[in-house]
């Protein structure tokens, strides 16, 4: 596995989140996903995708500020700091978040199996 492949998939994820492309999100996220959001809530793949499908989560901009990739055989860990703008429900979202994700290659399919998000305090 190459770092450039992981960066490409991270960009696919960013684009899918920006436009609410639930089909792409479905392909990028493993069925067994465990995601911990910045509130400490544990979300499944379906809960994550449903937020985009329903329009509860709507991103206007996601700007990558920094990204690190650690390759681990058929898996990789990414740590990404991003500036976000959008709406969650009726509440505006604006600020920096730090995401860590575990990507795993199964056959020829690369998906996110785990993730975590924290707000960045300035």
């Amino acid at each position: 596995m190459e770092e450039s492949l992981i960066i490409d998939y991270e960009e696919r994820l960013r684009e899918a989140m920006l436009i609410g492309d639930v089909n792409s999100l479905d392909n990028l996220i493993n069925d067994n996903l465990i995601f911990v959001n910045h509130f400490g809530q544990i979300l499944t793949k379906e809960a994550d995708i449903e937020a985009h499908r329903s329009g509860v989560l709507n991103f206007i901009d996601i700007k990558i500020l920094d990204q690190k990739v650690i390759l681990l055989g058929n898996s990789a860990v990414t740590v990404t700091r991003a500036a976000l703008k959008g709406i969650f429900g009726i509440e505006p979202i604006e600020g920096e978040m730090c995401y860590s994700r575990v990507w795993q290659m199964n056959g020829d399919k690369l998906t996110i199996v785990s993730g975590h998000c924290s707000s960045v305090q300035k």
Side-chain angles (χ1 to χ4, degrees):
M1 189 170 343
E2 305 256 336
E3 183 174 326
S4 60
L5 177 66
I6 303 301
I7 291 170
D8 176 57
Y9 271 74
E10 282 278 335
E11 179 58 20
R12 291 181 193 189
L13 178 66
R14 187 189 75 80
E15 290 173 3
M17 291 170 62
L18 260 177
I19 63 172
D21 182 350
V22 294
N23 290 327
S24 290
L25 291 170
D26 185 51
N27 288 324
L28 292 167
I29 299 172
N30 191 284
D31 289 344
N32 297 315
L33 173 79
I34 297 173
F35 180 73
V36 180
N37 68 17
H38 64 291
F39 297 116
Q41 299 165 321
I42 298 172
L43 303 176
T44 63
K45 173 183 180 174
E46 185 54 40
D48 189 16
I49 290 176
E50 182 57 30
H52 292 275
R53 180 184 295 118
S54 68
V56 167
L57 180 58
N58 184 19
F59 287 108
I60 297 164
D61 191 27
I62 302 172
K63 182 179 177 184
I64 305 302
L65 303 173
D66 187 38
Q67 191 165 63
K68 307 256 187 291
V69 177
I70 301 167
L71 300 174
L72 303 167
N74 72 337
S75 300
V77 174
T78 60
V79 177
T80 304
R81 190 169 55 92
L84 307 177
K85 288 184 184 174
I87 298 171
F88 182 72
I90 60 171
E91 297 295 321
I93 301 168
E94 188 162 358
E96 290 184 19
M97 295 287 195
C98 189
Y99 293 88
S100 60
R101 288 186 267 272
V102 178
W103 292 87
Q104 184 178 46
M105 183 70 77
N106 287 316
D108 63 347
K109 188 169 183 177
L110 185 62
T111 59
I112 302 163
V113 295
S114 181
H116 182 268
C117 176
S118 298
S119 57
V120 175
Q121 302 299 316
K122 292 184 178 187

